[in-house]
Amino acid sequence: DDSYRNKGLGRSLVDVVCEKAKELGYSAAFVAGEHKFFSKVGFKPSTDFGLKNSDGIEDQFVQCKELNSGSLDKAKGEFSIQ
C-alpha cells in the first residue's frame, strides 16, 4: 500500500530489530534484500567486510551491519544466509 511509503516505518522497524538483536548479544546483522533501502539504514555490502555468501545470491543484495563497532573487523570468508 503506497500510503505507508516514505513514512519512516521501514527504518523504524529495522532500528528496533537491530537494537533487540544487540540486546540479545548479537554483534552483527545480515540481510538479503533491496540494497537501496538497507544502505539507507546503515547496512553495507558483505563484500566490504571480506565476506561472501555461498548461496548464489548477487553480492549487492547481501548486506550486513555491525551492531558493535569493529565486530566484523576480523571476519573473512564465506557464509550462508539461509
Side-chain angles (χ1 to χ4, degrees):
D1 185 341
D2 285 342
S3 66
Y4 292 103
R5 289 188 168 274
N6 299 313
K7 305 263 192 234
L9 297 173
R11 176 182 300 272
S12 294
L13 180 61
V14 170
D15 288 346
V16 167
V17 169
C18 286
E19 187 58 39
K20 185 63 175 178
K22 187 175 180 178
E23 288 173 13
L24 292 171
Y26 292 94
S27 59
F30 291 79
V31 296
E34 177 53 52
H35 64 283
K36 291 178 184 175
F37 169 75
F38 284 104
S39 67
K40 292 178 184 177
V41 293
F43 284 78
K44 298 179 183 178
S46 61
T47 53
D48 285 5
F49 295 97
L51 298 167
K52 172 101 174 119
N53 83 84
S54 61
D55 300 315
I57 303 168
E58 290 182 48
D59 289 336
Q60 66 180 344
F61 297 110
V62 180
Q63 299 188 50
C64 53
K65 178 178 182 175
E66 292 181 310
L67 302 178
N68 298 309
S69 182
S71 62
L72 294 174
D73 285 350
K74 296 181 182 181
K76 301 286 181 245
E78 287 191 5
F79 67 96
S80 175
I81 200 155
Q82 295 182 5

